[in-house]
Amino acid sequence: MKRIGVLTSGGDAPGMNAAIRAVVRTAIYHGFEVMGVERGYHGLLDNMMFPMNSRSVSEILQRGGTILKTARCEAFNSEEGIQRAVEVIKSRGIDSMVIIGGDGSFRGARDLDDAGIPTIAIPGTIDNDLGYTDLTIGFDTAITTVMESVSKLRDTSSSHERMFVVEVMGRNCGDIALFAGIISGAEEVIVPEMPFSVKEVAERVNIGVDGGKSHYIILVAEGAVDPYAFTEELEELTKINTRLAVIGHLQRGGSPTATDRLLATRMGARAVEELRIGNSGVAIGLKGNVLTTKSIDEALAVRDRLSMELYRLAEILAR
Ligand code: ADP
């Protein structure tokens, strides 16, 4: 009998629950047991886990967040931390692990695998900052939330002829700002990957206003610039009433979209299939509409690049 441990780690993302459900039910389908580890690597070091069955994952497909809780855990990120985790895993009769999280969590997953625990990594982060996969679980829900928020801001922006600077998440990755900017019709998208000057943004705004634009939405990725200073400078240069809206953690919550549920479900099931055929140390990804596997190290080594096609499209459509 195989016993699989599953945990969620790092920033939570909508769809993590759908992935947990798929891991648990696929494992049970194949006659394996599942242990749910609570609070990420933290719970692993503290031996916080419980056996899961099909009913443990009822009614969670549509829920945001993660029923297993998540955490950041400094103590795990050391030689002693990994050794302690391996001891706990072995003492509970677990023979393989599925880790759902972002790049930091992937490094932990790689370390566990290197330490002799067969481990599979599933990309769960709203940031979409892992270059080896087209999509990460939670990204689609996050950009949908931004899209809905921007559409509300646009109403007030047009009515008051006000400009809105909207700060979105993404850490060092501009994908949330870029994708959400395109689907929201933002006038400007500011991302960490591309240079920009407030002066030039202000010039384009002034040209737009002269050309009859009555609203302005500027999406700013959190890693690109201090949004408070940016907003102040832009108002100064354009003389247009400008407000800053920080969407913040609203982007991390909510019921996952159809895309995220499907992605998470497919990836969760695939992770168990990989363990079943004796594969380990791999990350599940999506390329086109096909699930892929790559060693976690190779997956981490792929540089995450901003799509120049989409960046150009955002520029063209904003005029
Ligand atoms: P995310 O997984 O969302 O990127 P973090 O970067 O905070 O979030 O990583 C989550 C956890 O993964 C950390 O708290 C730590 O326990 C573990 N981790 C991060 N980096 C490493 C690393 N280089 N080696 C081992 N474990 C790591």
Side-chain angles (χ1 to χ4, degrees):
M1 168 81 74
K2 222 182 188 47
R3 185 175 291 167
I4 299 172
V6 57
L7 65 78
T8 49
S9 164
D12 65 312
M16 280 182 162
N17 281 328
I20 296 167
R21 173 177 175 270
V23 168
V24 170
R25 293 203 173 157
T26 308
I28 288 170
Y29 174 84
H30 289 301
F32 306 148
E33 291 179 356
V34 183
M35 291 293 267
V37 179
E38 294 177 290
R39 297 174 60 215
Y41 294 126
H42 199 76
L44 192 55
L45 296 186
D46 286 350
N47 208 335
M48 289 165 57
M49 56 182 80
F50 61 97
M52 298 184 86
N53 59 32
S54 275
R55 295 291 73 75
S56 324
V57 290
S58 294
E59 299 283 340
I60 67 165
L61 177 61
Q62 75 282 11
R63 275 166 60 189
T66 156
I67 60 161
L68 291 176
K69 315 270 188 228
T70 182
R72 296 203 153 91
C73 172
E74 275 306 309
F76 176 77
N77 193 357
S78 67
E79 194 56 41
E80 306 82 69
I82 304 288
Q83 279 321 311
R84 162 91 188 128
V86 170
E87 278 166 29
V88 172
I89 288 169
K90 289 189 171 158
S91 76
R92 298 299 291 254
I94 295 171
D95 35 48
S96 47
M97 291 291 301
V98 174
I99 309 291
I100 307 165
D103 61 340
S105 306
F106 271 40
R107 291 192 172 85
R110 186 241 356 247
D111 290 352
L112 271 184
D113 194 77
D114 286 348
I117 307 291
T119 300
I120 307 287
I122 295 178
T125 164
I126 64 164
D127 300 337
N128 208 36
D129 58 353
L130 289 160
Y132 81 95
T133 180
D134 289 349
L135 275 180
T136 59
I137 296 166
F139 175 68
D140 189 68
T141 307
I143 59 172
T144 303
T145 301
V146 173
M147 177 185 78
E148 286 163 357
S149 308
V150 168
S151 125
K152 290 175 186 175
L153 289 170
R154 187 177 284 287
D155 290 344
T156 168
S157 175
S158 309
S159 308
H160 281 274
E161 295 175 279
R162 222 175 231 166
M163 177 153 59
F164 271 97
V165 174
V166 185
E167 193 211 39
V168 299
M169 286 182 164
R171 292 213 252 181
N172 295 317
C173 175
D175 276 13
I176 292 184
L178 177 59
F179 284 62
I182 289 174
I183 60 178
S184 311
E187 275 68 30
E188 296 278 340
V189 173
I190 312 288
V191 292
E193 295 91 338
M194 300 297 287
F196 72 95
S197 100
V198 190
K199 247 186 158 167
E200 284 171 19
V201 173
E203 276 163 20
R204 286 195 293 270
V205 170
N206 287 331
I207 290 168
V209 170
D210 289 345
K213 262 194 189 283
S214 63
H215 52 253
Y216 250 90
I217 303 275
I218 301 185
L219 280 199
V220 175
E222 65 180 344
V225 64
D226 171 358
Y228 294 92
F230 177 84
T231 304
E232 232 172 73
E233 210 179 332
L234 196 61
E235 181 163 46
E236 183 69 34
L237 290 168
T238 58
K239 311 287 180 227
I240 297 172
N241 192 337
T242 308
R243 298 291 163 93
L244 170 65
V246 177
I247 303 181
H249 284 78
L250 290 174
Q251 283 157 96
R252 291 255 287 266
S255 182
T257 58
T259 297
D260 273 331
R261 292 182 199 197
L262 189 60
L263 180 68
T265 300
R266 292 174 72 194
M267 287 182 162
R270 177 65 178 266
V272 174
E273 295 295 350
E274 290 301 318
L275 288 172
R276 195 167 77 91
I277 61 172
N279 256 351
S280 69
V282 297
I284 313 292
L286 185 80
K287 278 282 161 197
N289 194 26
V290 178
L291 289 185
T292 59
T293 53
K294 226 183 196 14
S295 87
I296 299 173
D297 257 333
E298 276 173 18
L300 283 168
V302 178
R303 233 185 102 201
D304 188 44
R305 289 175 196 281
L306 193 79
S307 161
M308 283 304 116
E309 179 211 332
L310 291 185
Y311 189 76
R312 183 82 190 113
L313 189 59
E315 279 184 333
I316 290 170
L317 299 182
R319 297 296 148 245

